[in-house]
């Protein structure tokens, strides 16, 4: 350990370096304490909000210290991004990974071995080979830094088996300081990271999770694509990310946005490396590009002016959600995080956990199900949403006054009688059935399964036929979020939390689902009498033509042009030229293609009329 006086001197050096190399006048909140601890040789775990400048907390000490700092990072893109930034600063940094030519990897290793590098980045599977560990012992390592350290813990939202081996660093380099950094770790995950990487002398530096400049919104999803277009209409000309659940969905959403005039692309792991690089470069350079992406996009992108992050589908967990929304507003200016939420998406997520889990009763599987339940509870919140989010990470705040729930408290209705019916149905049926079957019991459904399980003999059978099945599923979801019901992690059946049911059901308030936003969507307002089916057929033709030409759909025609086309239904090339937005060039190029769609649709309509007359 260095002396306290030496640490103070080095902290003064760090301030000078901060200005000279990084161009910053002072440390951000939390940075100075961590830099001082690292300069003192402490083993530590630092948990800092996304955008708080955690990379600088280990880069500055590395540049000030003698010897080599080895940085462990999970993604090649993340490493390359860090190296590009450091190289631009003139810092002596190198990287070794599988996507580089062998000659480049060898060159950086030789620089490290010669003492010419201050930082060397590599993935955990590369670091933890016998050959690399032996080579590093010969070179000498000043410290190890593990970035995205939540990947170490089996309780973390993004656990990676290759990270697990990093615990052996304590055995191979017992006297070498180790530091771990993450933006997303609850109390259990933090404890696990410290145990595995740091040992008993490890210190924790927790610097809060609150990002008050990010507006938090969760809205019921009932007409997803139209809702998305309507909400993004408030952000035209701004840059943002729309997270989707699948590769196919990213492509569909990107096409949807292009069709509405947005500068948009899809990004997912299925694209070839060159295409991913090109789209990332566009995102970094075009101020209005919207990326429809899977979670493959975003980690390591330190772009300050991302104004919004939308979730078209539920993320995997609160930790994943927090990390993803944290990519917005890193410049401290107002930003927006909006999630479209539905029970169907929650079911999809639960099935994904089922699919990826060999043993649903294992502790790891139960942790995944708990994470999902915690996220559902956040989505169903009836009090301050930011308060609920930060409480998950162990941070307490007063109601923020600025989230969607604080601005417009949900409309709550008394559902105590209905909640009691749910409890009776769950208990009477043996606490083994899931939400859909409980809803069928209450609705009095006449199905094969109902008869096979003798559920029609229960006293509560049909007691809820006055409410729709969707109502019962929503009520069950909110009762689960409130802790009255629990979902069995092995079989998916509902179980009662009897301690909470005793009081909670007697005064249960149901959050009424909001559906009024549908009237505010752009398509609903602007259709102006155009046939929705025809409009969809015209959009499909536009998408087909756009793909053939490798251009955004709006380059062919805007939505406004297609709506006018659907209203006018031109039958000749000349009449096609009268459609809004159709100039001479587009009249020549596209008239035949769209007139064919219009003619086919007209023939279908005529056939329907003739069949009706017959």
């Amino acid at each position: 350990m260095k002396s306290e006086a030496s640490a103070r001197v080095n902290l003064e050096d760090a301030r000078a370096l901060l200005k000279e190399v990084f161009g910053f006048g002072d440390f951000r909140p939390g940075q100075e304490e961590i830099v001082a601890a690292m300069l003192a040789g402490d083993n530590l775990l630092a948990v800092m909000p996304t955008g708080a400048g955690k990379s600088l907390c280990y880069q500055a000490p590395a540049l000030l210290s003698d010897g080599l700092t080895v940085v462990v990072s999970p993604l090649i893109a993340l490493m390359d991004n860090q190296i590009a930034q450091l190289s631009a600063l003139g810092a002596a940094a190198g990287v070794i990974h599988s996507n580089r030519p062998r000659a480049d990897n060898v060159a950086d290793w030789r620089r490290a071995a010669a003492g010419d590098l201050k930082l060397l980045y590599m993935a955990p599977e590369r670091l933890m080979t016998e050959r690399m560990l032996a080579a590093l012992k010969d070179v000498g390592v000043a410290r190890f830094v593990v970035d995205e350290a939540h990947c170490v813990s089996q309780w973390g939202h993004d656990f990676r088996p290759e990270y697990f081996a990093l615990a052996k660093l304590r055995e191979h380099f017992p006297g070498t300081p180790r530091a771990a950094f993450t933006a997303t770790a609850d109390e259990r995950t933090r404890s696990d990271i410290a145990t595995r990487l740091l040992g008993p002398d490890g210190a924790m530096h927790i610097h809060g999770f609150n990002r008050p400049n990010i507006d938090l919104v969760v809205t019921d999803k009932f007409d997803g694509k139209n809702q998305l277009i309507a909400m993004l209409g408030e952000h035209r000309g701004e840059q943002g990310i729309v997270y989707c659940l699948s590769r196919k969905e990213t492509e569909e959403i990107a096409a949807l946005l292009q069709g509405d005039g947005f500068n948009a692309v899809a990004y997912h792991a299925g694209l070839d490396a060159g295409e991913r690089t090109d789209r990332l470069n566009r995102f970094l350079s075009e101020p209005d590009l919207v990326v429809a992406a899977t979670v493959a996009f975003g980690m390591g992108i330190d772009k300050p002016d991302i104004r919004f992050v939308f979730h078209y589908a539920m993320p995997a967990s609160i930790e994943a959600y927090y990390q993803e929304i944290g990519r917005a507003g890193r410049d401290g200016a107002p930003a927006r995080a909006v999630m479209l939420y539905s029970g169907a998406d929650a079911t999809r997520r639960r099935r994904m956990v089922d699919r990826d889990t060999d043993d649903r009763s294992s502790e790891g599987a139960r942790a995944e199900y708990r994470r999902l339940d915690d996220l559902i509870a956040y989505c169903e919140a009836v009090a301050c949403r930011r308060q609920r989010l930060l409480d998950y990470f162990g941070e307490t705040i007063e109601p923020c006054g600025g989230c969607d729930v604080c601005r417009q408290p949900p409309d709550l209705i008394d559902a105590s009688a209905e909640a009691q019916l749910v409890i009776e149905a769950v208990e009477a049926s043996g606490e083994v059935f899931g939400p859909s079957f409980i809803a069928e019991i209450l609705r009095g459904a006449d199905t094969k399964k109902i008869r096979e399980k003798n559920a029609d003999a229960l006293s509560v059978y049909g007691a809820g036929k006055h409410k729709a099945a969707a109502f019962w599923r929503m009520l069950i979801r909110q009762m689960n979020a409130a802790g009255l019901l629990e979902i069995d992690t092995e079989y998916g059946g509902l179980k009662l939390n009897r301690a909470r049911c005793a009081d909670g059901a007697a005064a249960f308030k149901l959050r009424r689902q909001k559906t009024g936003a549908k009237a505010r969507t752009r398509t609903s307002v602007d259709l102006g009498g155009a046939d929705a089916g025809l409009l969809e057929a015209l959009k499909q033709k536009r998408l087909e033509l756009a793909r053939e030409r490798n251009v955004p759909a709006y380059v062919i025609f805007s939505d406004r042009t297609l709506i006018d086309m659907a209203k006018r239904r031109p039958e000749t090339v000349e009449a096609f030229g009268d459609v809004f937005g159709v100039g001479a060039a587009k009249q020549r190029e596209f008239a035949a293609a769209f007139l064919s769609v219009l003619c086919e649709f007209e023939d279908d309509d005529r056939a329907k009329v003739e069949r009706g007359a017959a």
Side-chain angles (χ1 to χ4, degrees):
M1 293 273 185
K2 295 184 179 181
S3 71
E4 204 172 305
S6 175
R8 283 199 299 270
V9 170
N10 280 320
L11 195 54
E12 292 171 6
D13 293 341
R15 285 199 181 89
L17 179 88
L18 195 67
K19 179 64 177 174
E20 181 181 346
V21 176
F22 293 94
F24 302 144
D26 204 352
F27 290 107
R28 297 185 196 178
Q31 287 181 325
E32 183 173 337
E33 175 188 342
I34 295 169
V35 169
M38 290 196 68
L39 289 171
D42 292 353
N43 294 323
L44 62 89
L45 167 62
V47 183
M48 306 174 72
T50 306
K54 63 185 175 71
S55 298
L56 183 140
C57 290
Y58 60 78
Q59 289 171 352
L63 296 177
L64 286 168
S65 303
D66 294 331
L68 179 69
T69 293
V70 174
V71 182
V72 183
S73 182
L75 293 176
I76 287 172
L78 182 55
M79 289 188 272
D80 286 342
N81 181 268
Q82 294 282 323
I83 292 299
Q85 293 183 48
L86 287 165
S87 297
L89 296 172
V95 61
I96 297 175
H97 64 62
S98 58
N99 272 21
R100 303 179 82 211
R102 183 177 183 277
D104 292 346
N105 284 335
V106 170
D108 274 0
W109 171 252
R110 286 176 175 165
R111 291 172 65 204
D116 295 333
L117 290 185
K118 290 292 188 178
L119 294 114
L120 181 64
Y121 286 73
M122 64 180 74
E125 54 268 39
R126 174 73 67 131
L127 169 63
M128 299 308 295
T129 62
E130 290 185 13
R131 184 178 179 183
M132 180 58 73
L133 292 171
L136 287 172
K137 287 176 183 176
D138 291 338
V139 169
V141 178
R143 66 173 59 80
F144 288 98
V145 172
V146 179
D147 201 6
E148 307 296 341
H150 54 272
C151 298
V152 171
S153 173
Q154 62 181 320
W155 313 124
H157 73 281
D158 193 21
F159 168 63
R160 304 192 182 193
E162 60 269 22
Y163 256 66
F164 214 62
L166 294 174
K168 295 180 181 178
L169 286 175
R170 293 170 56 191
E171 302 171 18
H172 290 285
F173 299 88
T176 304
R178 298 171 301 281
F181 288 80
T182 182
T184 47
D186 60 14
E187 186 174 352
R188 188 180 193 186
T189 302
R190 296 195 295 265
S191 177
D192 197 31
I193 294 169
T195 299
R196 295 187 182 284
L197 291 181
L198 306 183
D201 64 337
M204 287 198 191
H205 296 262
I206 313 298
H207 286 282
F209 295 86
N210 195 9
R211 296 283 305 282
N213 64 310
I214 300 179
D215 177 29
L216 302 177
V217 177
V218 177
T219 188
D220 292 314
K221 181 180 181 180
F222 48 85
D223 186 13
K225 290 181 178 178
N226 278 336
Q227 286 177 277
L228 182 66
I229 288 293
M231 290 185 293
L232 284 177
E234 302 174 31
H235 298 278
R236 286 191 182 276
E238 296 179 349
Q239 188 168 69
I241 305 170
V242 179
Y243 280 110
C244 304
L245 196 56
S246 67
R247 297 177 184 182
K248 179 182 177 183
E249 199 168 70
T250 66
E251 299 285 355
E252 291 174 350
I253 294 303
L256 174 77
L257 298 182
Q258 291 163 2
D260 200 62
F262 285 91
N263 181 19
V265 295
Y267 187 102
H268 53 74
L271 300 170
D272 64 59
E275 190 65 35
R276 288 199 306 272
T277 299
D278 177 67
R279 294 182 185 189
L280 174 59
N281 289 337
R282 286 185 60 190
F283 186 75
L284 296 174
S285 60
E286 297 178 17
D288 64 342
L289 186 67
V290 180
V291 176
T294 61
V295 293
F297 184 80
M299 187 178 286
I301 296 176
D302 189 14
K303 196 170 192 302
D305 55 349
I306 298 172
R307 295 272 63 88
F308 61 87
V309 170
F310 278 47
H311 281 87
Y312 184 70
M314 284 179 68
S317 64
I318 286 184
E319 293 101 321
Y321 168 74
Y322 178 82
Q323 188 174 64
E324 287 155 17
I325 67 172
R327 285 154 193 159
R330 293 190 180 192
D331 55 5
R336 199 170 181 220
V338 179
M339 187 201 308
L340 289 170
Y341 162 70
S342 71
D345 279 348
T347 299
R348 287 171 73 191
R349 277 292 181 190
R350 193 171 297 279
R351 286 173 179 164
M352 289 174 73
V353 177
D354 293 345
R355 182 194 66 200
D356 295 338
T357 303
D358 294 329
D359 179 6
R360 297 185 192 177
S361 63
S362 69
E363 195 168 1
R366 288 199 298 271
E368 289 297 322
Y369 289 115
R370 279 195 299 271
R371 285 193 193 94
L372 182 57
D373 287 340
D374 286 333
L375 179 62
I376 291 171
Y378 168 78
C379 294
E380 298 283 4
V382 296
C384 175
R385 200 174 301 283
R386 195 179 312 274
Q387 205 173 34
R388 186 73 184 244
L389 176 65
L390 297 181
D391 179 67
Y392 179 86
F393 294 106
E395 185 173 340
T396 302
I397 64 166
E398 294 297 315
C400 71
C403 67
D404 60 329
V405 178
C406 286
R407 286 193 302 270
Q408 188 176 0
D411 184 9
L412 301 178
I413 58 176
D414 179 33
S416 50
E418 289 83 357
Q420 189 59 47
L421 285 176
V422 170
I423 290 170
E424 292 174 16
V426 171
E427 186 170 33
S429 60
E431 299 182 65
V432 295
F433 298 112
S436 295
F437 192 68
I438 296 299
E440 288 183 356
I441 292 173
L442 292 168
R443 288 276 298 153
D446 183 18
T447 66
K448 181 180 179 181
K449 185 176 180 180
I450 287 284
R451 293 189 295 273
E452 286 177 347
K453 303 298 181 183
N454 295 320
D456 50 352
L458 299 176
S459 61
V460 76
Y461 176 74
K465 62 176 63 178
H466 59 294
K467 297 286 188 182
F471 168 87
W472 292 111
R473 289 193 295 269
M474 180 173 64
L475 174 60
I476 290 169
R477 198 164 63 242
Q478 292 188 35
M479 290 176 69
N480 172 232
L484 278 69
L485 301 175
E486 298 170 351
I487 297 178
D488 182 86
T489 55
E490 186 170 4
Y491 300 108
L494 292 170
K495 293 185 175 297
L496 303 179
N497 183 331
R498 286 173 168 77
R500 293 199 178 184
C501 284
D503 300 321
F508 191 79
K509 301 291 185 182
L510 178 70
R511 179 182 66 87
R512 192 194 299 273
Q513 189 175 37
K514 295 180 180 179
T515 59
K518 186 171 183 179
R520 296 195 300 271
T521 62
R522 300 170 67 86
T523 304
S524 299
V525 172
D526 296 333
L527 277 179
D531 186 288
L534 173 57
L535 181 59
E536 183 60 30
L538 293 171
K539 286 183 177 180
Q540 287 299 316
K541 175 55 68 175
R542 177 181 64 180
L543 181 57
E544 177 188 321
L545 293 169
R547 285 175 172 168
E548 287 175 0
R549 290 159 175 76
N550 196 30
V551 297
Y554 67 83
V555 170
I556 307 298
F557 285 128
S558 70
D559 271 10
R560 184 175 175 184
T561 296
L562 297 187
I563 290 169
D564 193 45
M565 199 183 300
K567 286 167 59 179
R568 290 175 178 268
R569 298 197 182 194
E571 297 181 356
T572 66
V573 174
E574 291 73 20
F576 188 80
D578 294 331
V579 173
F580 172 85
V582 177
K586 288 191 175 183
Q587 182 183 21
R588 288 192 299 271
E589 186 169 2
F590 298 121
F594 284 97
L595 286 173
S596 175
V597 174
L598 291 161
C599 181
E600 183 179 342
F601 199 87
E602 195 72 33
D603 288 344
D604 287 344
D605 278 357
R606 190 177 297 111
K608 290 175 185 176
V609 171
E610 289 172 355
R611 284 197 298 270

